[in-house]
Each structure stands twice: as structure tokens, then as C-alpha cells.
Amino acid sequence: MLKIISANVNGIRSAAQKGFIEYLARVDADVVCVQELKAQEADMKPEMRNPNGMHGVWHCAEKRGYSGVAIYSKQAPDNVQYGMGIEEFDREGRFVRADFGNLSVISLYLPSGTSAPERQELKYRFLDAFYPMLETMKMEGRDIVVCGDWNIAHQNIDLKNWKGNQKNSGFLPEEREWIGKVIRDLGWVDMWRKLYPEVPGYTWWSNRGQAYAKDVGWRIDYQMVTPHLAERALHAHIYKDEKFSDHAPLVVEYDYSL
């Protein structure tokens, strides 16, 4: 059994204060992918670097209190890739990959375009750069999971208010088409949607209004999986018993051994 969690914590220090480290101890995952660390390595306490004795690798943003991704694992990785090899994105700490035998796990934090038009342009540049990377990784013949906050809701089912968001970043036609091509043309499997075709599966809620209480959410956190591993997926859930951030952890279990 292989249990993988993806969680945007919106600040590892904040999430730790809300019980995230204790949650990881209880859930006993094999691999945990975290996004939006909002911390440098020096800012993190030992339990944030290596929660419950897990191995930790991270790619922090140059800017303090911003972005950053990490992978925690029971088993030490055989190899780690820090960043995409593209300075514009790597200085924002958006990609880290860990290899375990024939399995590769990636923690991804795709840019949001909501704050300004230039950030949406950067998001499009990221999509243009990341698509061929996904194509290359798919051709490696390895079992790969790309976990993270993709900041795109793919279909109408993936957000509550889809009619009112068709001109907003995260649900723009070009973004939706891009993620559709990742699935349709490249053959990556959206694990939640494959397992639960008719369950919305929201993972993020705006802090405005009563979005969380009324479950007016978006599904923008994914585990995108290569086909062989996707066939081994058993079940998944979104953990909402506690609230660590404006996102909820996505947990998928696979019939797979490291």
C-alpha cells in the first residue's frame, strides 16, 4: 500500500500551529507533497523540516514568506531534482521531484494569475514550459505522480460557481484547454476524477464570505498520474475534519510497494 498526500498549507508555520504535523503523524502517509511553504529553510523548525522523522526535501522561493514546495517521505529518495531548470520559475520555488526506485513524486505549485495581468502572463509562460516537461516525463516509462496546486479547475463540476467564473483566472478557456490536453493528448490521469467521475471534490475555498461553510469551492489540487500507476489507485479522500489552510489535503492510496 502506498499513501500519497498533496496539501497546499498556505504557510508551513501557520499550518503547523493548526495541527498539520500531528495530522501527518496520525495519517501515516508514505509521501507528503506540500505547497506554499512560505518559509526559508532557516525559518522552519525541525518538525517542519522532518515531520515525525520523515525525510524532507524542499525548494524554497528566493523571496521570503512566499511560495515554496516540499516532499516528505518515509523512505529517503534515491535522487532529487530541485526546480525546473528555468530561472524565472525556480526563483519562486515551484517544483521539486523525488525518485524512489521506479516511482517519482513531484510537488508542484503552479502560478496563480489572479493578482495582476502580468502574473497571468507568467502563468501562461509556465504552462508553455511545463507541457513539454510533462511529455518528457511521461516518456520515461516510470510511475510518476505530479501532486500539487495546479491553480486550474478543469471542468464545470470542478467548481461550484462555474457560470460566474468563466472570465476569471483559474477557469479561463485557455487554462482549461491546457489541462485537457495534458489528460487527453499526453495521457496523464487526473486521479480524483477517474476514481469519482461525478463527485466535485473541492480542495480550495475563498476566504471571502462564507465560501467554506457553504462549500462554494474549487478543485484545483490534483494528483496527475501515469497510466500504469493510475490503474493501481484504490481510493481517495479530501480531508476536511480539520482546517489547516484555505486548501484541504488530497489523499490517494495505491496498491503499490516502494
Side-chain angles (χ1 to χ4, degrees):
M1 186 80 71
L2 174 71
K3 185 184 292 186
I4 300 178
I5 297 177
S6 183
N8 180 316
V9 294
N10 196 12
I12 186 66
R13 290 167 290 184
S14 170
Q17 291 176 345
K18 297 171 184 172
F20 183 64
I21 306 302
E22 290 78 8
Y23 161 70
L24 293 184
R26 291 195 311 275
V27 77
D28 192 34
D30 297 283
V31 185
V32 180
C33 293
V34 171
Q35 302 86 40
E36 265 201 286
L37 289 172
K38 291 187 173 180
Q40 310 298 115
E41 183 177 347
D43 301 327
M44 292 189 279
K45 295 179 179 177
E47 64 268 24
M48 298 173 196
R49 294 194 203 110
N50 306 99
N52 312 301
M54 297 180 88
H55 298 271
V57 295
W58 42 84
H59 188 218
C60 300
E62 291 178 5
K63 182 179 174 182
R64 296 189 73 83
Y66 180 74
S67 192
V69 291
I71 299 174
Y72 304 128
S73 57
K74 283 184 180 177
Q75 187 174 312
D78 304 321
N79 184 60
V80 180
Q81 177 185 339
Y82 301 92
M84 299 164 62
I86 303 170
E87 184 186 357
E88 178 180 32
F89 310 125
D90 290 349
R91 61 172 173 253
E92 294 191 351
R94 297 191 172 276
F95 178 101
V96 65
R97 167 177 168 164
D99 299 335
F100 310 87
N102 197 50
L103 175 73
S104 295
V105 182
I106 291 147
S107 186
L108 173 78
Y109 181 36
L110 203 146
S112 168
T114 57
S115 61
E118 54 264 35
R119 293 303 296 177
Q120 184 65 33
E121 289 305 313
L122 179 134
K123 184 177 187 178
Y124 285 140
R125 290 197 298 276
F126 189 100
L127 299 183
D128 288 343
F130 194 49
Y131 189 87
M133 286 184 65
L134 286 166
E135 187 172 23
T136 299
M137 286 191 290
K138 176 78 170 10
M139 293 168 62
E140 288 182 33
R142 298 173 58 80
D143 296 317
I144 306 177
V145 185
V146 184
C147 291
D149 178 357
W150 292 61
N151 266 313
I152 301 171
H154 180 207
Q155 298 169 316
N156 295 351
I157 190 177
D158 296 319
L159 70 168
K160 184 76 167 184
N161 183 20
W162 66 268
K163 287 182 181 177
N165 279 291
Q166 294 179 78
K167 295 182 179 179
N168 292 334
S169 180
F171 199 58
L172 295 171
E174 301 92 330
E175 298 171 330
R176 298 172 63 195
E177 173 60 19
W178 181 88
I179 212 161
K181 284 176 62 181
V182 169
I183 296 164
R184 182 184 66 246
D185 296 350
L186 296 186
W188 288 84
V189 179
D190 174 355
M191 207 63 260
W192 177 270
R193 190 52 69 226
K194 182 175 188 293
L195 288 169
Y196 309 113
E198 298 178 3
V199 180
Y202 306 142
T203 60
W204 174 81
W205 299 261
S206 169
N207 287 320
R208 297 177 188 149
Q210 295 290 308
Y212 189 78
K214 295 177 180 177
D215 201 25
V216 181
W218 294 54
R219 188 176 74 94
I220 56 176
D221 300 87
Y222 297 81
Q223 293 195 23
M224 284 286 189
V225 184
T226 47
H228 176 260
L229 180 58
E231 292 300 324
R232 312 288 286 273
L234 299 171
H235 45 77
H237 71 273
I238 292 148
Y239 181 76
K240 292 183 67 181
D241 292 355
E242 299 168 272
K243 195 170 188 288
F244 308 119
S245 79
D246 51 350
H247 293 249
L250 168 61
V251 186
V252 183
E253 293 188 51
Y254 303 85
D255 180 15
Y256 191 92
S257 298
L258 288 179

